[in-house]
Amino acid sequence: MSTQNNNDTCTPTESPPPTPTSTPLAELQQGANNDLSQLGRVSHRLAMTDDGTQLEKVLTLLLPRLLSRIGSNHRRTVDLTSAASASANRASAEEEIQALRQTYDRIHAKLVEMLSHAMKRVRADRNCKVPCRAVLGLLYDDGARNAHEPSSLDAFTLNLSLAFLTLGLPRCTTDEVEALLPGLISLLPAHSTGIDSLTSVARKSQHHQIAHLILRSIESIVAGNRRAGTAGSTSTSAGSTLGRGRSSASSNVGGTSNGAVSSSSNRSAAASPSESLSGKKTQLAAKSSPSDVRNGYLRDAREAASSDGGGGAAIYDLLLDVLLYRPTAGGSSGSSNSSNSIPPPGLSQAGHERLLAGTSTTAAKWGAEFASQARLRELKLSVLEFIAPCRRWALFQGDVGATRSSGTAACSHDDDGVGTARTVALLAVASGDAHQDVAERARDYLKVHMDSLRNVSVTRSESISNETQTSAGNGSPIEDDDQEGNTTCNSADASVMLHPLLGDPVWLSTALLSLVLGDSVSESIVGAGSRSRGLSVGALNIDSSSPDNVRVAVMSTKRRMVSEKAATALLAFVSARILDDVPRIFAYPYAADTSSSDEQTVVRSASVISALALASSSYCLGSTQGSGSTGASVGAHASRARLSAAKLLNSLSVRLVVLYDALSNLHSEAMHDGVVDSK
C-alpha cells in the first residue's frame, strides 16, 4: 500500500490485494507489514486533522477508500484460510500463514478504529458532510445503472457504507439527494428479494436501511423543492395547482414532462458532478445546465422504478406501506421489534417491522418520530407529491409525460401499463386515509389525473397492432370512448387492454380488491400465483417440505385487509372509475380469427375480478366493525361501505351481462358458420 500526500494528510491508495495462493508468503507478509505501517501514519494524520472544512476534505478522499479497503482486507483473509487448508501438510507454511493472518487481523482492527473515529467525529460535527455519492458508488454501478449483487459485496463494506449513508444523507443538499435516489432505488430490489432477506438478520437489516434511505430521500427532495419554490409544474403549493380545475389539467400534465426526460444519448451531457474514489472531481460538460442534470437524475430514478429487476414492485410495496401506516399501541413507542404488536390495517408483519426499524434524527426510532399525526401527515403528503402524475416527479410514469406535453397521450409499452396502475393504486389507497388532508390531496391528484386527457387525442404506441384489433361490425380498430372523453388502448396481446389513465385495468382492479380482502383471503380465492403478476412483489413459494422458519417468514409478508374507510374508497373507485368508465375491460377483439385462448383469458380475468368483488362486497355489506370509530361514526362508515359495495355489484353485473351477450353472439355465429359450411 502506498501513500499520497493530499490536503496535508496521507491517504491509502487502493490496489488489488495479492492472492495468497499465487504469491510467496514472505512477500505477502512484507506487503501486509507495509500496509499496517501506512495505516498507522494515516490514522495519526486523521486524528490530528481539525474539525470543520479540513475534516470534510479529508473524509471526502479517505472515507470511500477505507470502506473499500476493509472489504478487500477481509476477502484476502478468507483467501488466506483457503491457502492454509491447501498447505496444511507443511508445518512451516502453517506458521507463516498464522503470522500473516495475525497481521491481516491487525490491519482490520486498525481500519475499524479509523472508521469508528470518523463516524464519531462526523456525528459530533453536524456541519460535516459525508461523500455520499462516492460511498454509494461502492454499492451501485452508476455507469451501468445497476446495483452490485449482494453476494459480490463484502459484508463490512456493505454495512459500514449503509451506516455512513444513513448518517450523511440528511446533510446533503436537495440536488445531492436527487443524485443518490436512482442508486438507492436500484439497491432496494437487490437486497429485498429472496427468502434470505426475511430469515437472515443481517440481510433484513440491510434491506430496512435501504428502504429508509429512500423514504428520507423522497421527503428531503420534496421539502427542498418546496423551499426553493420549484416543486410541481407551475406552483410550489399543491393546493394552488389543484385549484385551477379542469381548465389547467393539460398544463399540469404537461408539467410532468419538465422532469422527464432527456434521451439516453444526452445522458453524458447531463452527467452529475461526482467524486470518484480518488477524490477528484468530474466536471460537467459545458452545455449542461442544472435543469438538465436534475432531469437526468429524475429519468434514472424513473428507469430504476420501472426496471425489469423488480425495482418498481419493491418501491411500490414500500410506498404502499407508508400510505397505509398509522401508529398502533405496540408500535408507536419506536421499538424495532413489532412481533408483539398487530400491524395496522393493510400492512404485513414484515412491512410493519421494516418501517419501525428505521432510525430518526429527532427521536429514538422511526416509530416514535411518526407517532405524531402531523409528522406522519407530512411524510404521506411528500409521497403523494412524488408519485402524482400531475407533479414534476411522477415516479412510476416512465416517459409518458413527454408524449403528453405535445398534446397527445399514448399507452406506455415499456411497463405494460403497470407503472400507471401502480400510481393510480397508491392514490386510490390514500384517498381513504384517516387524515383528512391526506385523503383530500389524494382525491385531488386523482381528479386532475383522470381529467388530464379531456379533449386530448390518444395515439397508439408502436407495439399496438391495429390490424388484429378490429370490431365485428365495421372492421375498425377498437377505440372505446369512456364517460370522461378518454380513449382506451389495446396492446398487441389481445388479452391485455391498456388504458392511458389506468394502465392495466385488470391488474389494477385485482390489486385494489385484494387490498380490501387481505393477501391470505384473496390468494385463497384466486391463487397465490396471481400475486406474482400484479403490482406488488410476487409471493414466495412454500410447500409442506419448507422449514418452519421459512413458512413463518413467508406468512409475515401477507397483508392484512385495509380499514373500512379505505375499503370504501377502493370499492367506489373500482366501481366508478374502472368498471363504469372502461366498458371493454372484459372485451377482446371480435374478429373472425379470434382464438379460444383469447376467450379463455378474458373469461379468466372476469372470473378473478368477479370473485374478488363478490367477496369484498360481502365483507362490507356484513361488516359493522373495523372503522376505528364509535357511535354515529360507525353507522356513517358502515353505510358508506354498504353503498360502495352495492354500486360495485351493480357495475359488475352490467359488465358480466355484456360479456355474456358477446360470448353468446360469438358462439352463435360460429355455430351458424359451421352449419353453412357443412351444407
Side-chain angles (χ1 to χ4, degrees):
M1 180 183 294
S2 61
T3 60
Q4 174 185 353
N5 195 319
N6 197 338
N7 292 329
D8 298 327
T9 186
C10 286
T11 306
T13 302
E14 181 65 28
S15 59
T19 304
T21 58
S22 61
T23 306
L25 294 177
E27 293 183 14
L28 291 176
Q29 183 65 58
Q30 183 179 358
N33 290 336
N34 291 337
D35 289 350
L36 186 60
S37 177
Q38 300 290 355
L39 281 174
R41 288 195 291 270
V42 173
S43 178
H44 177 72
R45 295 285 186 91
L46 176 62
M48 298 299 294
T49 302
D50 295 332
D51 291 334
T53 305
Q54 189 63 24
L55 177 62
E56 185 176 319
K57 290 181 178 179
V58 170
L59 291 178
T60 298
L61 301 174
L62 183 62
L63 183 58
R65 297 183 182 185
L66 292 178
L67 292 171
S68 177
R69 192 70 178 89
I70 195 171
S72 61
N73 184 76
H74 180 249
R75 284 194 297 271
R76 69 180 182 180
T77 303
V78 173
D79 293 339
L80 185 63
T81 303
S82 301
S85 300
S87 305
N89 57 344
R90 295 172 51 193
S92 59
E94 290 182 6
E95 294 177 359
E96 293 177 352
I97 289 175
Q98 183 64 25
L100 185 56
R101 182 184 292 110
Q102 292 176 357
T103 305
Y104 286 163
D105 290 343
R106 292 170 63 191
I107 291 174
H108 179 80
K110 176 58 70 174
L111 289 167
V112 170
E113 176 189 330
M114 295 172 68
L115 288 168
S116 299
H117 175 81
M119 178 76 75
K120 182 178 180 180
R121 299 270 306 266
V122 172
R123 281 178 174 164
D125 185 358
R126 294 185 176 273
N127 295 322
C128 182
K129 301 182 72 172
V130 176
C132 292
R133 187 80 185 278
V135 172
L136 182 61
L138 300 174
L139 315 177
Y140 169 77
D141 187 344
D142 189 45
R145 283 176 281 181
N146 285 324
H148 296 309
E149 288 295 328
S151 58
S152 67
L153 296 171
D154 183 80
F156 286 100
T157 298
L158 175 58
N159 292 328
L160 290 170
S161 296
L162 292 176
F164 275 101
L165 285 172
T166 302
L167 179 62
L169 189 141
R171 308 179 186 195
C172 293
T173 64
T174 303
D175 289 345
E176 291 170 341
V177 177
E178 287 185 345
L180 296 174
L181 186 60
L184 294 174
I185 294 177
S186 297
L187 287 179
L188 185 61
H191 293 268
S192 61
T193 56
I195 194 63
D196 287 345
S197 63
L198 297 172
T199 58
S200 169
V201 175
R203 285 287 305 278
K204 187 188 298 185
S205 175
Q206 294 156 5
H207 168 205
H208 293 170
Q209 289 184 74
I210 295 169
H212 282 275
L213 284 170
I214 293 175
L215 295 181
R216 296 293 182 184
S217 296
I218 291 175
E219 193 172 17
S220 174
I221 291 170
V222 174
N225 279 271
R226 284 174 181 166
R227 290 192 298 267
T230 59
S233 59
T234 58
S235 172
T236 301
S237 170
S240 63
T241 302
L242 299 169
R244 299 177 189 271
R246 185 184 310 168
S247 62
S248 64
S250 297
S251 63
N252 281 333
V253 174
T256 305
S257 63
N258 294 341
V261 221
S262 44
S263 64
S264 299
S265 60
N266 294 331
R267 188 173 188 273
S268 60
S272 62
S274 62
E275 293 175 358
S276 64
L277 296 186
S278 62
K280 295 183 179 180
K281 299 284 186 179
T282 301
Q283 298 297 330
L284 291 174
K287 295 183 179 179
S288 297
S289 67
S291 177
D292 292 335
V293 174
R294 296 178 66 198
N295 289 345
Y297 298 149
L298 178 57
R299 184 196 64 246
D300 291 347
R302 284 174 172 167
E303 289 181 358
S306 59
S307 66
D308 295 334
I315 191 70
Y316 168 80
D317 276 340
L318 174 62
L319 299 184
L320 182 60
D321 285 344
V322 172
L323 293 175
L324 289 172
Y325 177 79
R326 63 184 186 185
T328 58
S332 60
S333 62
S335 172
S336 61
N337 183 10
S338 61
S339 59
N340 296 326
S341 63
I342 299 176
L347 265 68
S348 64
Q349 191 76 26
H352 190 213
E353 181 181 348
R354 175 171 62 179
L355 290 181
L356 296 183
T359 59
S360 171
T361 57
T362 60
K365 280 289 185 179
W366 189 93
E369 177 182 353
F370 289 94
S372 165
Q373 288 295 329
R375 188 70 185 87
L376 184 59
R377 166 190 171 276
E378 192 176 322
L379 174 61
K380 290 185 177 183
L381 290 178
S382 296
V383 169
L384 290 178
E385 189 160 350
F386 206 79
I387 64 173
C390 58
R391 309 303 284 172
R392 171 180 176 255
W393 297 280
L395 181 61
F396 295 106
Q397 289 301 98
D399 292 347
V400 176
T403 308
R404 288 182 177 176
S405 64
S406 62
T408 62
C411 295
S412 172
H413 59 274
D414 292 331
D415 61 357
D416 293 330
V418 177
T420 301
R422 286 184 177 125
T423 300
V424 175
L426 292 173
L427 294 177
V429 167
S431 67
D433 193 84
H435 200 290
Q436 187 70 13
D437 290 348
V438 176
E440 288 183 357
R441 183 70 58 84
R443 287 193 290 267
D444 288 339
Y445 283 147
L446 269 175
K447 183 180 186 302
V448 171
H449 175 60
M450 300 305 293
D451 289 346
S452 61
L453 292 187
R454 287 197 175 205
N455 302 321
V456 177
S457 62
V458 178
T459 61
R460 293 177 181 273
S461 63
E462 295 179 358
S463 66
I464 298 173
S465 173
N466 291 331
E467 291 78 8
T468 61
Q469 298 181 39
T470 57
S471 62
N474 54 19
S476 61
I478 293 178
E479 292 186 0
D480 194 27
D481 293 337
D482 63 21
Q483 297 176 7
E484 296 295 328
N486 302 326
T487 305
T488 59
C489 298
N490 292 72
S491 69
D493 180 2
S495 65
V496 178
M497 181 180 66
L498 299 185
H499 190 283
L501 296 175
L502 301 174
D504 188 322
V506 173
W507 283 6
L508 179 59
S509 302
T510 303
L512 297 182
L513 294 175
S514 296
L515 287 173
V516 175
L517 296 171
D519 282 342
S520 296
V521 176
S522 63
E523 289 175 7
S524 68
I525 295 174
V526 300
S530 63
R531 196 170 150 200
S532 63
R533 300 189 70 242
L535 310 182
S536 303
V537 176
L540 295 172
N541 295 323
I542 56 174
D543 52 36
S544 57
S545 63
S546 301
D548 290 343
N549 66 321
V550 172
R551 298 171 65 85
V552 171
V554 171
M555 288 301 299
S556 71
T557 65
K558 309 293 185 183
R559 291 185 179 275
R560 296 181 61 203
M561 60 180 61
V562 297
S563 65
E564 188 172 285
K565 183 176 182 181
T568 301
L570 296 180
L571 294 182
F573 185 86
V574 172
S575 173
R577 287 299 190 177
I578 301 180
L579 294 179
D580 289 349
D581 285 2
V582 187
R584 292 192 178 277
I585 186 172
F586 297 149
Y588 57 90
Y590 300 145
D593 58 350
T594 299
S595 65
S596 60
S597 62
D598 295 334
E599 178 182 335
Q600 292 173 2
T601 300
V602 173
V603 172
R604 184 164 55 250
S605 298
S607 176
V608 167
I609 294 178
S610 300
L612 293 174
L614 288 172
S616 302
S617 300
S618 298
Y619 166 73
C620 291
L621 289 172
S623 173
T624 58
Q625 313 229 348
S627 64
S629 305
T630 57
S633 297
V634 173
H637 280 297
S639 177
R640 286 192 289 268
R642 294 190 183 102
L643 180 60
S644 296
K647 289 182 177 180
L648 175 63
L649 292 177
N650 180 71
S651 300
L652 178 64
S653 300
V654 172
R655 292 292 156 250
L656 292 178
V657 168
V658 173
L659 175 61
Y660 177 80
D661 290 342
L663 293 175
S664 298
N665 292 336
L666 186 65
H667 292 167
S668 297
E669 292 176 2
M671 292 178 63
H672 178 268
D673 293 341
V675 171
V676 172
D677 292 341
S678 64
K679 290 182 179 180

